[in-house]
Amino acid sequence: MNVLENTHILQAPEVPWLSLLPILVVFGGAVVSVLVEAFVPAKGRRPVQLILSLITIVAAIVMVTFRLTEVLEYPMSLPEYIEDPLTVTTQGILLIIGLLAVLVVADRSELGDGAFAAQPADRPGSVDEDLSNEKGYQRTEIFTLILFSLGGMMVFPAANSLVALFIALEVMSLPLYVMVATARRRRQLSQEGALKYFILGAFASAFLLMGGALLYGATGTLSLSMMARVLPQSPALLFGLVGCLLVLVGLLFKVGAAPFHAWTPDVYQGAPTPITGFMAAAVKVAAFAAMVRLYLTLIAPLEWDLSPVLVAVVVLTLLVGTFVGLVQSDIKRLFAYSSIAHAGFVLIGLFAVTATSSASVLFYLLVYGVSTIGAFGAIALVRQVDTAGNVYGEATALANWAGLGRKAPGLAVAMLIFLLSFAGIPLTGGFVGKFLVFADGIEGGLLWLVVLGLACSAVTAFYYFRLVVLMFFTEPCENTAVVRSEGYSYVAVVLAAAVTVLLGVFPGPVLELLSNVVVLLP
């Protein structure tokens, strides 16, 4: 017998390099960014890191545009990775948000200070921290962490395997845990928020892993596509249902849905303001897109078994985000509860399971993400001052925003646009987004949830307009000033405001593009 006849011939797997190109560009830029930190002199790192990050994201946007034209005709499904219009469109939205976020992160005021600690490892209030500030030392690894986190987000909605989903979740989350702890001021609050985020995030990951284990036990596979075929006929269907709920818990934590929202206000308040904006916008887009795939592929066929739990989550999310937000006196905590309420609105569109659910959810997330980056970019520019004119940290107390319309009318008008969009007022993208998800809710038979959503939307408009009244119809606060900066934040704010208005006045082209968004079903 010929020995070669019994030898198994190993074949190299086919790797879809073109499909992975946008992700490879982002991760490649992140790796180069690590090398910049290692080899470029300290004084030259910041401009190099900024240029590298912008080039990386713009190149990835070009790659996504190229892939979208291909995917509309030839979507691709592999055991670990799916490239369909949902994946590529979500990646494009994430890159747009990432581009705006990098501009806000890079900005520094006329005093030469940024939002980040000179040396995050310095103990708050220590001599080492004072020395780092005196020398004007500024770490730049934030750009590296953003690129790694953004790369994980881009994998998240494409995952066709629970293993890939978990790895993408951790690659997305671990840099965020670090970045939350790097605020230049109120360091202890920043580190406390990071610790809470890390601990609760670990619990959420554990829920996702346990759910994946139960689903694997019920179906014998880790592939979402295969699970969708096997689970409805599985003799261990009960274990599969519990597994679905546990995996969903891990994703609901990331979008800040109640009752998994406890981390949101503390982390939003403690994190550096540019990171709060990036996290509030990009994480929601990635997690909701992954939830769209998971829900439409695996959970929707089991909807009757899980509907009481899902409806309870939507109701609780809407009520918590709406009514707890009414009593907030800090603008970052106010936007934290606003984000919880917005998660409830998006969940209505997702759970409706109509032919346009995916497109409506993505449009809503695009508008919300861009407006959120702009709003937090504006917050980073409003600072506290004393009677001698010395400038301190962000003026996040709502009372400090009194009379901003007289001190900085352009910035106040931009914030007005973002608030109107959050409230769902016509001629803004937020109105179109809410109209789409509520229309899907009615079509999907969730009329009473839509009514509740409309009522909550009206109530949330109250705390948005409370800020509008403070800015334009109240005497200016003497302890507040809008600082001059290098201009990056102003560019991001202006672009975000323009996009928010354009998506409200001319939503047609974007809606036409999103109408092609479909989810590959098994």
Side-chain angles (χ1 to χ4, degrees):
M1 178 183 297
N2 191 341
V3 178
L4 294 178
E5 294 179 0
N6 291 329
T7 302
H8 295 286
I9 300 176
L10 298 179
Q11 294 183 349
E14 294 184 6
V15 179
W17 295 111
L18 288 178
S19 300
L20 298 176
L21 201 53
I23 297 171
L24 293 176
V25 168
V26 173
F27 279 128
V31 172
V32 174
S33 182
V34 172
L35 298 178
V36 169
E37 286 294 310
F39 296 107
V40 174
K43 292 184 178 180
R45 287 177 195 164
R46 182 171 172 271
V48 172
Q49 290 282 33
L50 174 58
I51 293 172
L52 173 63
S53 300
L54 294 176
I55 290 176
T56 298
I57 295 175
V58 171
I61 291 174
V62 173
M63 295 298 103
V64 164
T65 305
F66 164 71
R67 290 307 305 164
L68 184 60
T69 58
E70 296 289 323
V71 169
L72 290 177
E73 297 184 7
Y74 307 105
M76 181 211 53
S77 177
L78 295 174
E80 299 288 336
Y81 186 92
I82 293 180
E83 187 189 39
D84 58 5
L86 173 66
T87 295
V88 181
T89 305
T90 303
Q91 290 175 344
I93 295 173
L94 287 169
L95 290 168
I96 292 171
I97 291 173
L99 185 65
L100 295 175
V102 166
L103 292 174
V104 179
V105 165
D107 202 16
R108 294 194 300 190
S109 74
E110 57 189 337
L111 303 176
D113 62 338
F116 303 95
Q119 285 271 41
D122 290 341
R123 182 172 58 83
S126 65
V127 176
D128 293 335
E129 183 178 53
D130 293 338
L131 182 61
S132 297
N133 289 332
E134 287 177 8
K135 290 185 175 181
Y137 194 68
Q138 188 72 58
R139 302 288 294 183
T140 53
E141 68 268 25
I142 297 297
F143 295 99
T144 308
L145 294 172
I146 282 182
L147 289 178
F148 274 116
S149 182
L150 186 60
M153 293 174 188
M154 293 173 66
V155 177
F156 211 43
N160 190 31
S161 164
L162 291 178
V163 174
L165 186 71
F166 176 74
I167 293 174
L169 173 68
E170 296 306 305
V171 173
M172 173 183 76
S173 301
L174 291 176
L176 290 173
Y177 300 149
V178 176
M179 290 189 287
V180 169
T182 61
R184 184 182 184 88
R185 299 174 178 85
R186 296 195 290 183
R187 294 284 313 286
Q188 290 180 329
L189 189 65
S190 173
Q191 293 177 355
E192 177 189 348
L195 186 60
K196 289 180 179 178
Y197 193 25
F198 172 72
I199 293 174
L200 294 177
F203 274 105
S205 298
F207 276 110
L208 190 145
L209 284 175
M210 186 62 193
L214 291 175
L215 283 169
Y216 178 76
T219 61
T221 180
L222 291 172
S223 168
L224 295 179
S225 300
M226 291 299 296
M227 283 181 186
R229 298 191 190 102
V230 175
L231 186 57
Q233 291 81 34
S234 172
L237 178 60
L238 179 59
F239 286 98
L241 290 174
V242 176
C244 288
L245 285 177
L246 292 179
V247 172
L248 205 56
V249 165
L251 297 178
L252 289 170
F253 170 85
K254 285 301 176 185
V255 302
F260 316 106
H261 67 286
W263 62 275
T264 309
D266 292 333
V267 174
Y268 276 42
Q269 185 181 22
T273 300
I275 299 305
T276 304
F278 175 68
M279 181 172 54
V283 172
K284 261 192 173 48
V285 172
F288 264 120
M291 200 181 299
V292 166
R293 185 175 304 286
L294 179 74
Y295 190 79
L296 296 183
T297 302
L298 184 61
I299 300 178
L302 310 171
E303 184 177 6
W304 291 109
D305 300 293
L306 301 176
S307 59
V309 177
L310 302 179
V311 168
V313 168
V314 176
V315 172
L316 192 59
T317 301
L318 289 172
L319 295 179
V320 168
T322 299
F323 292 100
V324 182
L326 289 174
V327 298
Q328 300 305 311
S329 59
D330 184 278
I331 192 169
K332 291 172 76 173
R333 294 183 72 89
L334 174 68
F335 282 149
Y337 284 102
S338 167
S339 75
I340 295 170
H342 282 288
F345 299 142
V346 177
L347 287 173
I348 292 176
L350 172 60
F351 292 159
V353 194
T354 67
T356 58
S357 286
S358 301
S360 300
V361 166
L362 287 183
F363 185 90
Y364 196 110
L365 294 173
L366 171 61
V367 174
Y368 174 78
V370 170
S371 300
T372 299
I373 291 290
F376 281 101
I379 291 172
L381 296 169
V382 181
R383 306 282 281 275
Q384 295 176 333
V385 296
D386 59 17
T387 54
N390 297 315
V391 180
Y392 299 99
E394 290 99 346
T396 58
L398 289 179
N400 289 333
W401 284 67
L404 186 70
R406 301 182 190 179
K407 293 183 176 181
L411 191 67
V413 168
M415 179 61 84
L416 172 63
I417 292 172
F418 303 137
L419 293 172
L420 293 177
S421 182
F422 291 147
I425 302 302
L427 301 183
T428 65
F431 170 77
V432 180
K434 284 187 178 180
F435 177 83
L436 292 174
V437 295
F438 287 159
D440 285 340
I442 295 172
E443 183 181 348
L446 303 177
L447 177 61
W448 72 274
L449 272 182
V450 172
V451 172
L452 177 63
L454 287 170
C456 289
S457 183
V459 176
T460 57
F462 170 79
Y463 54 70
Y464 298 134
F465 282 103
R466 180 176 58 166
L467 183 55
V468 173
V469 171
L470 279 172
M471 289 193 298
F472 293 99
F473 303 102
T474 310
E475 289 298 318
C477 176
E478 297 179 356
N479 300 324
T480 305
V482 176
V483 295
R484 295 179 180 178
S485 73
E486 294 172 332
Y488 300 122
S489 290
Y490 286 103
V491 172
V493 170
V494 170
L495 288 176
V499 171
T500 301
V501 173
L502 287 174
L503 290 176
V505 178
F506 303 108
V510 177
L511 290 176
E512 183 178 356
L513 174 64
L514 293 177
S515 66
N516 296 310
V517 172
V518 294
V519 179
L520 286 183
L521 298 176

